[in-house]
Amino acid sequence: MGKWWKKAVVYQIYPKSFKDTNGDGIGDILGIIEKLDYLKELGVGALWITPIYPSPQKDNGYDISDYQDIDKIFGDMDEFDKLLEEAHKRDIKIIMDVVVNHTSTDHRWFKEAIRDPKSKYKDYYIFKKGKDNNEPNNWVSMFGGSAWENLPGSDEYYLHLFDPSQADLNWENGDLRREIYDMASYWMEKGVDGFRLDVINLISKDQEFPMDEEDAPTRGKKFYVNGPRIHEFFKEMNKEVFSKYDSATVGETMSITPQIAIDYTKPENKELDMVFAMNHLKADYLNGDKWTYKPIELKDLRGIMTLWQDEVNKNGGWNSLFWSNHDQPRAVSRFGNDNEYREKSAKMLGTVLHMLRGTPYIYQGEEIGMTNPDFEKIEDYNDIETINLYKERIKSGIPEEKIMDGIRRQSRDNARTPIQWDSSENGGFTKGKPWMNISKNYKEINVEENLKNKDSVFYHYKKLIELRRNHDIITYGEYRLIDDESNNVWAYIRKYKDEMWLVVSNFFKEEVSYTIKDKEVLERHKSKIILSNYEDSKEEFRNIKLRPYESIIYSLS
Ligand code: TEU
Ligand code: CA
């Protein structure tokens, strides 16, 4: 208890698309500084900034070529120092994003490893000899194709779980680990407040590098996710770096269960503070395929999120709460209604998430209800995963319209269009040509409009953040689902000391009559509305007529 990151709301910035100040069409550090007052007005306690280190930008910065500098497209170290100072002046913390599972093949270590096979840097990566003129094993890359890249003119391959330009690091090597810890300490000494650690549960690989006998689309995964030495590496990193600071670490993780999350985040284990678990973001995958759509069943979504609330909370771990990030579609388009009920459903989603137990993350633009852009053609997309997928599926004969339908729904670019600041050209994001097209709806949906209208999504988010600041029940209270039957309503309570809050939300556009059957709730007789997305919601909480996407927080006594 008492940790700052348990009370804070974190706002994720994808700098490329946040705010451009020099007209090159790419958002920059000065753009973040310019908008700090806006973020202060929203009330967030910390910013998570996706990678801004030098990078060839093949994967928008998740391909780092120098860990201890700033990419020129974003600015320089003086500007970064200024950002730190200006953020701290406003009581906003800065969480850096770092990728230590792999580096760009433009990193000096990798170049040295290739240039001089005897250099110590060779063992910083995972080079293996091929087998009978084939790859060392049959693992596949998360971005399609083999996970191994051949060094031209040799029988050697290096491992890349992502793009061939992202070479996996060899965490078995103690010197490499030392370099990583020194690098992280360098940023901590500068005054940053923590790290988001990219795909951090992939760093320990099974050293046998076995063939995967199962013919799954993710072949190899079981040999590198939550691998043999993972706890040892987390503990070492914690001891060498984070234990020395009042910092927050949040690990991005893949394929985990609540039990694994607890093991990573239990304070006494001294590993990570929080993890991002993606389980609830697969509710619309048909048979596990991200690109084939299945309508979301509220029961599934609520069930997964409740399981995480129950298990992790009871066992001393800590959840991170999020609907979206830079790899995901826009929350309102995916879980709400981005037409008629855009504002209502965006507010409902905000309420449901922010009243859960854990640390909420807001992805830039979510606070104004930004939507997926619905781009027409593949040329409008930029993301490496999307482009590879498109090529792969065209080759395998899948009709283009079907592929594009999947891309429109699921492409990571949905989240990466520039922030819509106002109704001027390019939504006020840049005076130049934006690196990626802005969504066509920027004239209606933008920050300026939101700030003018006291009833906007922005002010709803601001209230949710304020509530968290002022009411310990949100941070520390127990969560309990009071109904796992309803197909359209998610109703839960929070309890702390003698306080009880009830959160009831309609996830659909059809009106619904909802009757509370929970005994403990019915023992309470008086109610006060803490927040609703309708002006005239009624205090009667036992039988509620919920209008489209209506979402109400009651305090019961
Ligand atoms: O993402 C990890 C990851 O594999 C998925 O989230 C992926 O983006 C996608 O959803 C698979 O369908 C992290 C970063 O968040 C992402 O931006 C990077 O591209 C990736 O690691 C590699 O560094
Ligand atoms: Ca710029």
Side-chain angles (χ1 to χ4, degrees), residues 96-240:
M96 295 293 273
D97 192 336
V98 74
V99 190
V100 294
N101 176 68
H102 47 266
T103 71
S104 162
T105 49
D106 279 5
H107 194 288
R108 151 181 87 79
W109 299 337
F110 191 82
K111 289 204 216 148
E112 244 341 86
I114 298 290
R115 197 190 57 84
D116 173 10
K118 291 211 184 63
S119 97
K120 69 168 198 167
Y121 297 113
K122 186 105 194 228
D123 193 49
Y124 278 25
Y125 295 90
I126 303 170
F127 286 96
K128 295 276 170 224
K129 293 238 186 293
K131 279 197 185 127
D132 317 318
N133 288 324
N134 269 318
E135 284 86 6
N137 64 30
N138 64 350
W139 297 4
V140 291
S141 148
M142 236 83 71
F143 290 162
S146 166
W148 297 94
E149 184 77 0
N150 183 228
L151 286 188
S154 85
D155 60 349
E156 271 190 301
Y157 294 76
Y158 65 87
L159 180 70
H160 61 87
L161 295 179
F162 294 89
D163 191 64
S165 67
Q166 295 165 299
D168 279 57
L169 287 168
N170 176 22
W171 274 70
E172 302 294 316
N173 183 308
D175 291 345
L176 178 267
R177 298 205 301 279
R178 188 71 257 159
E179 301 239 27
I180 299 290
Y181 306 149
D182 289 348
M183 170 277 286
S185 303
Y186 163 84
W187 290 101
M188 292 306 301
E189 284 301 311
K190 241 182 195 308
V192 310
D193 303 285
F195 278 98
R196 180 256 188 198
L197 300 156
D198 191 64
V199 288
I200 200 64
N201 66 331
L202 311 192
I203 59 179
S204 167
K205 278 94 175 164
D206 183 331
Q207 292 303 296
E208 300 290 316
F209 292 90
M211 289 288 279
D212 193 339
E213 303 305 335
E214 244 176 297
D215 191 26
T218 52
R219 269 194 327 260
K221 225 175 181 176
K222 55 171 157 313
F223 301 113
Y224 59 76
V225 174
N226 308 311
R229 295 180 70 187
I230 196 80
H231 289 290
E232 180 191 336
F233 295 158
F234 287 173
K235 287 192 165 73
E236 188 180 71
M237 178 156 52
N238 187 300
K239 177 164 166 279
E240 296 296 324

Side-chain angles (χ1 to χ4, degrees), residues 20 22 24 26 28:
D20 176 29
N22 64 351
D24 65 355
I26 300 173
D28 41 50

Side-chain angles (χ1 to χ4, degrees), residues 14 48 59-60 62-63 97 99 101-102 142-143 162-163 166 196 198-199 202 252 254 278 285 290-291 325-328 383-385 412 416:
Y14 198 69
W48 149 25
D59 188 20
N60 288 325
Y62 286 90
D63 46 334
D97 192 336
V99 190
N101 176 68
H102 47 266
M142 236 83 71
F143 290 162
F162 294 89
D163 191 64
Q166 295 165 299
R196 180 256 188 198
D198 191 64
V199 288
L202 311 192
E252 188 208 25
M254 251 180 202
M278 308 294 167
Y285 291 13
K290 162 168 169 173
W291 309 96
N325 60 39
H326 64 290
D327 294 333
Q328 300 290 334
D383 174 34
I384 192 168
E385 183 195 46
R412 308 196 296 180
R416 300 178 179 182

Side-chain angles (χ1 to χ4, degrees), residues 437-449:
N437 287 342
I438 191 156
S439 173
K440 286 193 290 287
N441 59 24
Y442 71 89
K443 291 213 163 110
E444 306 94 70
I445 306 173
N446 60 58
V447 169
E448 196 182 30
E449 273 308 311

Side-chain angles (χ1 to χ4, degrees), residues 337 340-341 506-511 546-549:
N337 177 315
E340 211 185 335
Y341 296 106
N506 178 4
F507 264 73
F508 296 91
K509 68 175 177 207
E510 289 76 28
E511 237 184 59
L546 289 162
R547 287 161 285 184
Y549 299 98

